[in-house]
Amino acid sequence: MKDASFKMFVLEQLGGLRPVTCQAMFGGHGLYLEDVFFGIIAGGRLYFKTDETTRARYAELGMEPFRPSPKQTLSSYWEVPLDVLEDAAELCRWARTAVACDPSKMSPARRRV
């Protein structure tokens, strides 16, 4: 899947999570809910922000952290499993969890995800 069509697919799948915005960055795209950066689309893959608690679930499912280059790893962003990506409702649940990894930047109404 080409990057532009993959980006559109991801945004459609996240349609139940409003308002998600997407901005070009570092050869990929960053995903935001309000002003919270929670995801990365790069190389035909989707990565969500994790923390010490949520990262284990990704690892248990065989997912890997985001590697923008062979020498760099962003261990706080992990690839979203394909079965989650294909299920819009489940993807929105995972996205809410990713957003909650940085509640300090969210409005009080959004902190209750």
Side-chain angles (χ1 to χ4, degrees):
M1 190 179 295
K2 295 190 180 204
D3 282 344
S5 61
F6 182 70
K7 178 184 84 168
M8 293 307 300
F9 173 74
V10 169
L11 291 174
E12 287 173 13
Q13 291 293 88
L14 291 171
L17 190 66
R18 300 247 184 240
V20 171
T21 58
C22 184
Q23 297 180 10
M25 61 186 323
F26 310 117
H29 291 84
L31 295 173
Y32 296 81
L33 180 63
E34 290 186 1
D35 59 348
V36 179
F37 177 49
F38 74 93
I40 299 169
I41 299 171
R45 297 173 191 259
L46 174 62
Y47 302 86
F48 279 165
K49 184 171 183 67
T50 64
D51 60 18
E52 297 78 23
T53 304
T54 61
R55 194 169 299 126
R57 185 173 187 193
Y58 289 80
E60 288 168 3
L61 294 171
M63 299 295 97
E64 304 253 337
F66 177 53
R67 290 188 173 91
S69 73
K71 294 182 179 182
Q72 184 181 21
T73 299
L74 297 181
S75 60
S76 59
Y77 288 86
W78 281 64
E79 185 176 355
V80 174
L82 185 58
D83 59 330
V84 172
L85 180 61
E86 292 176 344
D87 180 336
E90 186 67 5
L91 184 62
C92 286
R93 281 189 284 278
W94 281 54
R96 285 183 190 97
T97 301
V99 169
C101 287
D102 191 1
S104 65
K105 293 185 179 180
M106 293 171 33
S107 70
R110 290 280 184 181
R111 287 188 187 136
R112 296 181 293 274
V113 291

